Amino acid sequence: MTSESSGPRTPHHFEDCPECDGDLEYQTQSDAMCQDCEAVFIHEIRTSRHLLWRFTHEDGLTEVVARAE
Ligand SMILES: [Zn+2]
């Protein structure tokens, strides 16, 4: 996992699919889809952290698969 240790806080984006390391493509600011395995994720931005939820049409938001401060 990469991290930037200094500099101003910039909008965080999860760029790699947690399931296959493919490239995530953002449909909107919060909706991302993996270009390789077509897994769908929702990027939830909270006050001071970012959560990446796995989304399925059957179950909706299922679990947090990645997080960042
Ligand atoms: Zn993937």
Side-chain angles (χ1 to χ4, degrees), residues 40-57:
V40 177
F41 303 93
I42 303 296
H43 183 182
E44 180 186 3
I45 301 171
R46 294 187 176 175
T47 308
S48 60
R49 69 179 57 202
H50 299 259
L51 302 176
L52 191 67
W53 289 86
R54 179 72 166 93
F55 178 86
T56 68
H57 290 289

Side-chain angles (χ1 to χ4, degrees), residues 16-24 33-39 41:
D16 298 325
C17 175
E19 302 196 354
C20 76
D21 281 338
D23 291 332
L24 292 182
M33 177 185 283
C34 176
Q35 297 186 62
D36 289 349
C37 72
E38 299 189 341
F41 303 93

